[in-house]
Amino acid sequence: MTRCQLGSENQSAVLAAPIACLMNLSLSTHVIPNQWKTACILPIPKTAAPLAPSDYRPISITPILSRITERTIVKDYIYPSFQSPPADLAFSDQFAFQPSASTTAALIHLLHTITTLLQDNSFVIVYALDFSKAFDRVRHSAVLEKLSRLSIPDHIYNWIEASSETIRTVPNSAVKYLIS
């Protein structure tokens, strides 16, 4: 039996403590290792024969330790703070980035609202807007300001504030190496 064939329980036990230590140290000091802040942007074609940069969809490949830490922060701090937000930060009509929300829930909510309005009105006007690249246009300072009003511990907020990414693009020739 080779070392790689040993039970995964042994391998995970060996790695769990140092990884937890790194994550806890990063959270408590709100210092994020530079390696955690590097994302490789991989251009994936949207069309069969891409000709222009707009024919590509950027896919971000981020380090696993930063993703695990971010997922822990979201699950343990962000989602719970959404359950009892301040009155001026109501999330009742938001369906994205919440654990039990979905596009299906948004459509059901919209249908219910329209049906309720039609009980007292002969017609309802619905305006649907599509904000092109809306996520790319979000002001980070506005998001941080809203986060600061949630019941998130200071060290978690400081870690989020410090987590601005350094981006490195990956040439197509390096894609095989990254994926394998």
Side-chain angles (χ1 to χ4, degrees), residues 42-141:
L42 183 63
I44 302 294
K46 292 186 212 177
T47 63
L51 298 174
S54 61
D55 294 337
Y56 291 91
R57 176 175 289 110
I59 302 296
S60 180
I61 302 171
T62 56
I64 189 69
L65 291 179
S66 64
R67 289 201 326 255
I68 291 170
T69 307
E70 289 167 1
R71 188 170 293 140
T72 301
I73 288 172
V74 168
K75 185 173 74 66
D76 294 349
Y77 298 100
I78 305 283
Y79 283 166
S81 69
F82 283 169
Q83 300 308 313
S84 55
D88 59 333
L89 278 182
F91 297 110
S92 60
D93 61 348
Q94 179 175 328
F95 295 93
F97 307 109
Q98 296 212 36
S100 60
S102 66
T103 52
T104 303
L107 288 172
I108 291 170
H109 178 74
L110 176 63
L111 183 60
H112 173 73
T113 303
I114 292 170
T115 305
T116 303
L117 288 169
L118 284 173
Q119 290 174 356
D120 297 326
N121 301 288
S122 57
F123 64 92
V124 175
I125 297 174
V126 176
Y127 291 100
L129 303 174
D130 180 15
F131 294 100
S132 175
K133 299 187 180 189
F135 187 78
D136 296 338
R137 290 177 167 78
V138 171
R139 286 189 349 260
H140 294 270
S141 59

